[in-house]
Amino acid sequence: MRTTRPLAVVASLLLGGALLAGCSAAPDGAASFAGDSGGGVTAHSEAGAADEGSSGIAPASEDAASQGDREVVTTGSVTVVADDPATAAEQVAELAESAGGRVESRRQSEPDGDARASAELTIRVPAAQTTATVDALEQVGDVRDLSIEAVDVTGTARDLDARVAALTTSVERLRTLMGDAASTEDLLTAEQELTTRQAELESLQSQRAALTDQVTMSTLHVSVVQVAPTEKLAPGGFLGGLQNGWNALLATLNGLVVVLGALLPWLVVAGVVLLVVRWVLRRVRRRAQDGGTPPTPGTDGHGPEDGPGAPSADREPVGASTRE
């Protein structure tokens, strides 16, 4: 009994020491495992970040490249208000030429009556200088009604390039077939097909050149108008009434003159017609008086009693002798 109890105590002490040793070693192992796992997670995170960074940079570069390959046609219209449209038009032309462009069309009109002077220009400037040219128009006059439109024609350009490449290859093959033609009939057939495809190729090349010109050079329509004159208020009082009355009189006289000018041709024609009608009526009356009606009795100097049985003037009445 005494021998068993010390052994139990010793065994308990040894077991407790082992447990303490295991607990003290466990944090190091856990720490090392945590470090390993942390290092693994960190490495994985860095690899993922690197992958994400690389995957993010590549599309950005591709988008930049695709944006650089884009073909855009830029057109615009702007109205410039200036005191002297002719001088302003000269300045606009100088701006276009200084930017490396040109003037495609130009039209100017001088003031005529109520119509004020104006100018219309169509200029072509490099696409990269479009914004700078529009900003420079502020030096010419007051810029109004600005409108800029950009149309992406990349798809059309690529389609034209593909068709041009395909037709170019087809034309080269047809030329090779013409060289290897075994008969005249084959040669004529190949030559006819070559002519058709060559014409189509030239048409496509012309379209591509025109599209390239539109992409390279922007088109701007510039309208230059004159400043509207400031309206002056008419003076009031007696002088104002007198001026208004005089203006009304002049306006009335002007209206009468216009009406008279409009009626004068009709009055002339009506007068000529009346003169012709009067002359015809006179002619009819003269013909009727000359031979159309018999003479009235007594108008030729012979009365009705001047016949053969009429008594003469020197005969005495029948009852004259009887009375005497």
Side-chain angles (χ1 to χ4, degrees):
M1 196 65 186
R2 291 179 180 177
T3 305
T4 305
R5 187 175 292 177
L7 292 175
V9 172
V10 173
S12 299
L13 291 175
L14 292 175
L15 182 61
L19 291 174
L20 289 174
C23 291
S24 62
D28 295 336
S32 62
F33 178 78
D36 294 339
S37 62
V41 171
T42 304
H44 178 71
S45 300
E46 290 177 356
D51 293 338
E52 290 178 359
S54 61
S55 62
I57 293 174
S61 61
E62 291 177 0
D63 291 342
S66 62
Q67 288 293 336
D69 295 338
R70 290 288 177 184
E71 299 193 27
V72 179
V73 176
T74 305
T75 58
S77 61
V78 60
T79 301
V80 179
V81 181
D83 296 333
D84 188 359
T87 304
E90 290 289 343
Q91 295 176 358
V92 172
E94 292 176 359
L95 283 176
E97 293 175 357
S98 63
R102 63 184 184 273
V103 178
E104 282 199 343
S105 64
R106 179 175 177 178
R107 182 182 63 84
Q108 295 181 205
S109 61
E110 298 297 330
D112 184 12
D114 295 336
R116 294 187 293 270
S118 63
E120 298 284 342
L121 296 94
T122 300
I123 60 176
R124 301 289 303 278
V125 295
Q129 298 294 328
T130 303
T131 303
T133 303
V134 172
D135 294 339
L137 290 176
E138 293 285 353
Q139 304 174 2
V140 178
D142 186 11
V143 176
R144 299 180 184 177
D145 301 333
L146 176 62
S147 175
I148 302 295
E149 182 180 7
V151 179
D152 191 345
V153 294
T154 306
T156 303
R158 291 177 179 176
D159 179 66
L160 286 173
D161 291 339
R163 294 172 64 185
V164 167
L167 276 176
T168 302
T169 304
S170 177
V171 168
E172 292 177 356
R173 289 178 179 176
L174 284 174
R175 288 176 178 173
T176 303
L177 290 176
M178 288 179 62
D180 298 339
S183 62
T184 305
E185 183 179 359
D186 294 340
L187 179 62
L188 293 177
T189 303
E191 184 177 359
Q192 183 178 2
E193 187 66 21
L194 176 62
T195 302
T196 302
R197 297 190 182 184
Q198 185 70 32
E200 185 177 356
L201 175 61
E202 292 176 357
S203 176
L204 291 176
Q205 290 174 345
S206 177
Q207 295 178 26
R208 186 64 176 93
L211 186 62
T212 302
D213 179 69
Q214 293 178 4
V215 171
T216 305
M217 303 289 288
S218 300
T219 304
L220 294 177
H221 302 282
V222 183
S223 300
V224 184
V225 297
Q226 194 176 23
V227 179
T230 305
E231 296 182 358
K232 297 181 179 180
L233 297 177
F238 175 77
L239 294 179
L242 182 61
Q243 182 177 357
N244 293 334
W246 177 255
N247 293 335
L249 177 61
L250 293 179
T252 303
L253 292 177
N254 188 26
L256 292 176
V257 170
V258 172
V259 172
L260 181 60
L263 294 179
L264 185 59
W266 297 94
L267 294 176
V268 171
V269 173
V272 172
V273 171
L274 289 176
L275 291 176
V276 172
V277 171
R278 186 176 179 183
W279 179 78
V280 170
L281 292 176
R282 287 184 178 179
R283 295 283 297 178
V284 171
R285 290 177 182 176
R286 288 180 180 177
R287 290 181 179 179
Q289 291 178 359
D290 291 343
T293 58
T296 306
T299 57
D300 56 350
H302 301 283
E305 62 276 0
D306 292 342
S312 61
D314 54 349
R315 292 182 181 179
E316 294 183 357
V318 176
S321 57
T322 310
R323 290 178 184 175
E324 292 179 354

